[in-house]
Amino acid sequence: MAPVLAILRKDLRTELRTRQSVPAMSLLSTTTFVVFHFGLDRSSVEGELAAGVLWVTLLFAAMLGINRLFVAEQEEGGFDGFLLAPIDRSAMLLAKVVALLIYLVALELVALPAFALLLLGPAPTQALPELLAIIALADVGIAVVGTLVAALAVRARARELLVPLLALPLLLPVLIGAAEASAPLFLDAGAEPVKAQWYLVLGLYDMVFALLAYAVFDFLVED
Amino acid sequence: MYGHGLRSLSIASSVSVTTALALVFFYAPNDADQGFIQKIFYIHVSMAIVALAGFVAGGAFAVQHLRTGDRRWDLRSYVAIHLSIVLAVGVLITGSIWARGSWGHWWLWDEPTLVSFLIVALLYACYQPLRFAIEDAERQARYASVFAITAGAFVPLNFLAVRLAEAYTHPRVLSTTGGAMPGSMRFTFLVTLGAVALLFVTLWKYELTSKNVRIQLKALRARLAPAGPDH
């Protein structure tokens, strides 16, 4: 556990000092809400439309963080230092997943109030626990798949182009699950119950890709 | 040494493709409901099944590659995925033609199988760009295998999620490949499926042979070069 904490602490400290990912992600999300306002020509959205706008925005904002996730390791020789250390390779995976998860939560702390303020009709205050559960499940999926994609693309030329091309189709089940699950919470007439199947879809996705990432990640940091 | 059995495979697949086409056009009855256009179903569904099987096989070969470290498994995985992408384009085109013929629209979002297939095709379309954006040959093979495994696991999850999403708004009344096919149609479908699968395997072997020969030739040239006149 100590190596995981060490890498995580390093990542968070770098982020705090350079402020590369989280501010850009938050800013992009707010800008995207403005873009949606004009693109849809609506001053407020509800139901399925609101869920779609929110999740597409969060997904696109997440792409920025995913893009930068391993760049310091690649450019500043972090991979070499990591490989020289006598620690398990999975430590890197876990640390990066947690770091991305923290970035996503920080993003949502800005994006959700901004969404409620700028675009959403009545805010689903009574349904907040359900919404938070959906967001937590979706964030885990985005963090796991995002880390895997970031590691896959970091050694490639034109990685900034490859990351969204790879991550967006892979994350479509998360988008489907999260958008369908949160749509009834955003109804103008008041929140309706969430269908349990969407928690299951999101949970299943998280579990499958967590196991898969654990199995294949070692091969991405081998040399 | 690599082309072993190619001749008999080629003959078998050309015979079976001809037989399948003959059965589709002359033996299988016209669908009572959709008429002649329904015949595209035989080739469309067969290609879809073979393409998905090819993607899964590509993932399985990739697992073998990562486990054994033998680059030949990566080559097998690469060729299987590459051919499946070609088939996938065919599936999307024939599916679109069928949708236009039967329902009057080139694209229907409430046909979950077709939508899932589009997503899978979009994902695998990144396989080659990713692969060839990595310079080091050994790393290229390793990263491509990781992609092939991840994408292979994604295929069933994606079908599940899309199907649930569509079932939510549009209940499915009848399944397209349903069990209610008359015997002659079922027979024709199975023969076409077999023919497409055989064609896939033949093409796969051809490409593997050509790639292996090229690799061998390169190795021989490299061995020859130091002894050449300009050294």
Side-chain angles (χ1 to χ4, degrees), chain A:
Chain A
M1 225 28 210
V4 178
L5 288 178
I7 300 172
L8 182 61
R9 212 160 31 224
K10 185 265 297 172
D11 272 4
L12 293 182
R13 185 170 298 160
T14 330
E15 177 59 28
L16 274 178
R17 288 187 186 164
T18 58
R19 299 195 191 86
Q20 275 191 323
S21 298
V22 174
M25 290 160 82
S26 315
L27 202 57
L28 180 73
S29 69
T30 313
T31 313
T32 310
F33 292 139
V34 178
V35 169
F36 269 122
H37 163 71
F38 288 106
L40 299 170
D41 195 18
R42 296 242 193 154
S43 43
S44 86
V45 289
E46 58 120 14
E48 290 186 340
L49 191 58
V53 166
L54 177 66
W55 284 105
V56 168
T57 304
L58 289 179
L59 214 52
F60 284 165
M63 292 303 137
L64 295 184
I66 296 172
N67 249 330
R68 308 286 316 164
L69 198 60
F70 284 99
V71 168
E73 265 75 11
Q74 171 72 4
E75 285 174 358
E76 317 286 342
F79 277 126
D80 300 330
F82 174 74
L83 287 173
L84 284 173
I87 50 172
D88 195 7
R89 308 277 158 84
S90 313
M92 173 82 96
L93 172 69
L94 191 55
K96 290 290 181 182
V97 169
V98 175
L100 188 53
L101 206 54
I102 292 173
Y103 296 174
L104 288 171
V105 171
L107 158 73
E108 280 143 8
L109 285 178
V110 177
L112 287 175
F115 180 60
L117 193 74
L118 294 173
L119 275 182
L120 188 60
T125 31
Q126 317 89 352
L128 208 56
E130 283 96 328
L131 185 61
L132 291 180
I134 297 166
I135 289 175
L137 280 172
D139 278 0
V140 171
I142 297 174
V144 168
V145 171
T147 307
L148 192 59
V149 168
L152 255 177
V154 75
R155 309 271 195 170
R157 274 179 276 124
R159 58 164 176 261
E160 284 85 4
L161 302 181
L162 278 171
V163 161
L165 283 178
L166 286 171
L168 285 176
L170 274 176
L171 286 171
L172 264 173
V174 173
L175 177 80
I176 292 172
E180 295 268 5
S182 47
L185 300 180
F186 293 141
L187 287 173
D188 259 348
E192 279 176 26
V194 178
K195 280 189 133 194
Q197 65 180 34
W198 298 117
Y199 292 122
L200 279 175
V201 170
L202 288 171
L204 184 70
Y205 182 94
D206 293 354
M207 208 174 62
V208 169
F209 276 98
L211 289 175
L212 190 84
Y214 177 70
V216 298
F217 188 77
D218 283 13
F219 295 101
L220 297 178
V221 285
E222 215 165 49
D223 40 14

Side-chain angles (χ1 to χ4, degrees), chain B residues 40-111:
Chain B
I40 204 170
F41 146 88
Y42 297 107
I43 191 77
H44 169 71
V45 177
S46 305
M47 284 203 302
I49 292 174
V50 173
L52 288 179
F55 286 138
V56 172
F61 293 145
V63 171
Q64 275 298 323
H65 168 238
L66 291 184
R67 277 178 48 177
T68 61
D70 185 347
R71 287 276 297 283
R72 275 177 303 177
W73 286 109
D74 168 60
L75 205 59
R76 288 175 189 141
S77 163
Y78 166 56
V79 175
I81 288 175
H82 162 77
L83 283 173
S84 290
I85 293 171
V86 177
L87 277 187
V89 174
V91 171
L92 290 174
I93 293 173
T94 49
S96 192
I97 293 172
W98 189 15
R100 172 74 184 167
S102 322
W103 301 305
H105 295 283
W106 290 108
W107 186 257
L108 278 180
W109 284 108
D110 50 7
E111 180 48 65

